[in-house]
Amino acid sequence: MQHLMVFIIGPAGSGKSTFTSSFKDWLLSQNVPVSTINMDPAVESLEYDPDIDIREFVFVRDVLEKYDLGPNGAIIASLDLAVEYLDKVTDQVNELPEGYVLVDTPGQMEIFAYRQSGRYIIKELCPLDRKCSAVFLIDATICMEPYDFLSQIFLSSSVYYRFRVPLLALINKIDLLDQKEREKIAKWISEKDALENALEGIESVDKDFTRKIARMLSEYMEIVPFIPVSSKLSENFEEVYYYLHQIYRGGEDFEKEELEE
């Protein structure tokens, strides 16, 4: 089975650590071997006990005191310093049992996604002989308006093209939506013209530009699965697992019916 790396990425508040904890528990309930890595040097507490923890080597509170930095500067410096310990992290990864390895990334996504250190971390933890993917978490509660949803698709696409690994986009926290809101998001995901039609109904000076962007991103949504999930309730986790198997193994040893049984 080897080590199947899954990087958990998303904006602050999207539920990365909660998803890591819940998906780990769900995989274990399905007798799927799984380990976890915390790569956030600034997190104070976690909902799970990581098998590997970057805070053993770099902790933002220590960096704050040692270098007399502000909060944002300390987080940036901590992630840059974490790169110096990647050889130790890699050695620990090699000691993990085979199976899924969930990598919980820093809470401030932009620091991980758009600085060189983030790309380097993924490169070092994903050598050519190791299978890797990413899930991008989107907070469903901020996607109720079509322009807001479009902006989140944009953000996920930028991460996809930044890291160039197979990616799933998860619309998290759907347990906080009512049935009508769920159906609206499901329609925007499943029907190619639904989001564009919703945008058409909004008066805007940049309507033509927005229409072009929506059409472009609809093609992106055809190659990247968008899955509504609830980390709190483990809702639709079987679908997440299904698509991860499509990435890693072409789906030949897994069918949705196996979990439904």
Side-chain angles (χ1 to χ4, degrees):
M1 191 177 189
Q2 303 179 343
H3 291 126
L4 309 178
M5 310 293 288
V6 184
F7 290 87
I8 316 300
I9 304 171
S14 59
K16 295 184 291 296
S17 293
T18 301
F19 174 80
T20 302
S21 177
S22 297
F23 195 50
K24 173 188 177 181
D25 291 343
W26 185 88
L27 288 170
L28 290 174
S29 74
Q30 305 298 319
N31 297 315
V32 178
V34 57
S35 304
T36 54
I37 301 176
N38 170 49
M39 284 303 297
D40 187 351
V43 67
E44 291 287 343
S45 61
L46 290 168
E47 300 179 35
Y48 60 96
D49 185 18
D51 298 285
I52 299 173
D53 196 338
I54 193 62
R55 294 175 299 178
E56 294 179 9
F57 310 107
V58 182
F59 188 33
V60 71
R61 195 187 304 156
D62 299 331
V63 173
L64 263 168
E65 296 174 358
K66 182 175 181 179
Y67 297 101
D68 192 27
L69 296 169
N72 289 333
I75 293 172
I76 292 172
S78 296
L79 191 61
D80 290 344
L81 287 169
V83 170
E84 299 181 12
Y85 296 95
L86 278 179
D87 56 339
K88 297 181 183 297
V89 173
T90 300
D91 289 341
Q92 292 182 345
V93 171
N94 292 334
E95 295 299 317
L96 292 174
E98 290 189 346
Y100 279 83
V101 181
L102 309 181
V103 185
D104 192 4
T105 63
Q108 293 187 336
M109 183 201 77
E110 66 276 10
I111 293 175
F112 180 77
Y114 303 120
R115 287 183 62 82
Q116 202 60 29
S117 52
R119 178 181 279 179
Y120 188 76
I121 287 169
I122 287 189
K123 179 181 177 182
E124 288 301 300
L125 294 182
C126 291
L128 293 177
D129 60 345
R130 181 173 291 156
K131 296 180 179 181
C132 295
S133 69
V135 299
F136 185 90
L137 292 182
I138 296 171
D139 186 338
T141 64
I142 63 173
C143 292
M144 293 297 94
E145 299 300 327
Y147 270 90
D148 295 331
F149 187 58
L150 188 67
S151 71
Q152 295 299 305
I153 301 172
F154 232 144
L155 198 55
S156 73
S157 68
S158 73
V159 169
Y160 174 75
Y161 286 105
R162 172 71 172 164
F163 292 133
R164 302 301 299 165
V165 296
L167 182 140
L168 308 180
L170 308 184
I171 316 295
N172 193 25
K173 305 184 185 180
I174 60 168
D175 55 288
L176 299 179
L177 307 184
D178 61 32
Q179 186 60 34
K180 185 176 180 180
E181 290 169 333
R182 285 187 179 213
E183 291 173 356
K184 178 169 63 175
I185 286 183
K187 187 174 183 180
W188 288 345
I189 292 172
S190 62
E191 298 182 18
K192 186 173 181 180
D193 296 330
L195 181 58
E196 185 177 341
N197 291 338
L199 290 163
E200 285 286 340
I202 300 174
E203 289 299 325
S204 173
V205 295
D206 59 353
K207 181 173 288 189
D208 289 340
F209 173 74
T210 301
R211 184 186 301 113
K212 293 176 183 178
I213 293 296
R215 289 175 181 172
M216 178 188 70
L217 290 177
S218 69
E219 296 181 7
Y220 164 73
M221 293 176 70
E222 290 178 0
I223 61 173
V224 171
F226 276 68
I227 309 168
V229 302
S230 166
S231 294
K232 182 178 179 180
L233 303 177
S234 301
E235 188 172 347
N236 289 341
F237 277 9
E238 69 280 359
E239 191 167 356
V240 176
Y241 184 43
Y242 171 78
Y243 278 108
L244 286 174
H245 262 67
Q246 292 294 315
I247 291 170
Y248 291 130
R249 295 171 178 261
E252 76 279 359
D253 65 342
F254 175 80
E255 296 294 339
K256 286 185 179 180
E257 289 77 6
E258 293 180 24
L259 288 180
E260 292 171 355
E261 291 175 1

